[in-house]
Amino acid sequence: MKLSIFLLEDDLELSDTIASYLRRHGFEVVQSFDALDAKEKLYERSFDLLLIDVKVPFQDGFSFLKEIRSQKNDTPAIFITSLHAAKDAERGFASGCDDYIRKPFSLKELLLRIEAVIKRYYQTHEDLISIDENISFDSINHALFVDGERISLKPKEIALLKLFLRNKNKIVTKEAIFEALWKYDEEPNEGSLRAFVSSLRKYLGKDKIETIKEVGYRFVSE
């Protein structure tokens, strides 16, 4: 399975150049050109790495990354920016980035930076939680592996799986799930919760997650 990269860059020509180069080197690349669209796409699915320009429409990259970090999205991130001051690099790392590369840069340098960050995050899996003999979950890098294949999950699906794994064989109420998955300014959605559970069952097996009628769910572990 290809590693996935999310690219937030509002310069269309540069974005296409970067995306084309990374695709030729075996990555899946999803592009976004403004912060609002980026939030929607990050809500929909997870990625292996984020490339973020700082000067993008609707929200600067620093506050954008800081916001998604506050939502427990720990995907490794690299800033690509025309800001050259040391104080800007300080802001970048303070907001939660893993690397900071100044424009103009060579595509080869960008690739080397990406490979270094990915190696640091994904090469070892000492924190793998075994779900069964064919399924495991990397609790540090938030990656689900089924038969050795890395499965992309949405951020809320990851949060739900972690909640289940912390409460094996215990009933987890819908209220507890809503509190864990939805932010204070979001309206909990039971239909979305059912969709998240259905998605996890697709990979883990239907018998792994029991529905406790009108109460919640139970993750079954032997």
Side-chain angles (χ1 to χ4, degrees):
M1 184 177 181
K2 293 181 178 181
L3 291 177
S4 58
I5 293 178
F6 181 77
L7 172 60
L8 172 56
E9 167 61 67
D10 67 328
D11 183 324
L12 273 61
E13 183 176 353
L14 177 58
S15 178
D16 286 344
T17 297
I18 292 172
S20 177
Y21 179 80
L22 294 177
R23 286 169 184 145
R24 290 200 304 273
H25 283 81
F27 294 97
E28 175 196 0
V29 182
V30 173
Q31 295 167 259
S32 185
F33 306 103
D34 67 69
L36 295 181
D37 176 71
K39 289 178 185 179
E40 290 183 9
K41 287 176 177 172
L42 290 180
Y43 178 82
E44 290 295 324
R45 59 167 290 188
S46 60
F47 294 87
D48 296 302
L49 183 113
L50 310 178
L51 288 179
I52 304 172
D53 184 20
V54 174
K55 295 181 178 180
V56 292
F58 302 120
Q59 186 178 16
D60 70 87
F62 295 145
S63 60
F64 172 83
L65 182 59
K66 191 172 183 179
E67 181 180 332
I68 67 171
R69 288 287 188 251
S70 72
Q71 298 166 6
K72 302 178 181 179
N73 186 328
D74 297 324
T75 306
I78 299 174
F79 279 122
I80 50 175
T81 177
S82 58
L83 300 175
H84 284 227
K87 65 178 181 180
D88 295 314
E90 279 184 27
R91 284 188 65 196
F93 284 103
S95 66
C97 80
D98 299 271
D99 203 351
Y100 187 99
I101 182 169
R102 296 173 173 87
K103 300 176 182 176
F105 51 80
S106 73
L107 293 173
K108 180 62 175 179
E109 180 187 359
L110 178 62
L111 179 63
L112 291 172
R113 301 277 194 113
I114 289 171
E115 289 174 341
V117 170
I118 287 174
K119 182 178 179 181
R120 199 158 62 235
Y121 270 79
Y122 299 114
Q123 189 176 49
T124 59
H125 299 289
E126 297 176 355
D127 295 275
L128 284 178
I129 298 171
S130 178
I131 296 174
D132 68 19
E133 60 181 13
N134 300 314
I135 305 173
S136 58
F137 179 68
D138 183 341
S139 62
I140 298 298
N141 299 310
H142 299 163
L144 179 67
F145 295 90
V146 179
D147 293 324
E149 179 181 350
R150 187 164 192 222
I151 305 298
S152 293
L153 297 176
K154 298 176 182 177
K156 280 187 169 58
E157 292 170 350
I158 292 171
L160 179 58
L161 179 56
K162 291 178 73 174
L163 183 63
F164 283 149
L165 291 173
R166 287 196 302 268
N167 295 277
K168 294 179 180 179
N169 299 313
K170 298 178 183 178
I171 294 175
V172 182
T173 66
K174 286 185 283 188
E175 289 75 17
I177 296 172
F178 290 151
E179 184 176 345
L181 268 65
W182 274 264
K183 296 182 295 181
Y184 71 93
D185 57 345
E186 292 180 323
E187 187 68 29
N189 187 309
E190 194 157 342
S192 294
L193 173 56
R194 287 195 295 269
F196 298 148
V197 170
S198 177
S199 179
L200 291 179
R201 281 173 170 158
K202 180 173 67 174
Y203 299 114
L204 306 179
K206 293 181 179 179
D207 296 338
K208 282 291 183 183
I209 305 173
E210 290 183 347
T211 298
I212 310 300
K213 192 174 181 181
E214 297 182 3
V215 177
Y217 298 91
R218 177 167 49 209
F219 185 84
V220 179
S221 177
E222 297 179 357

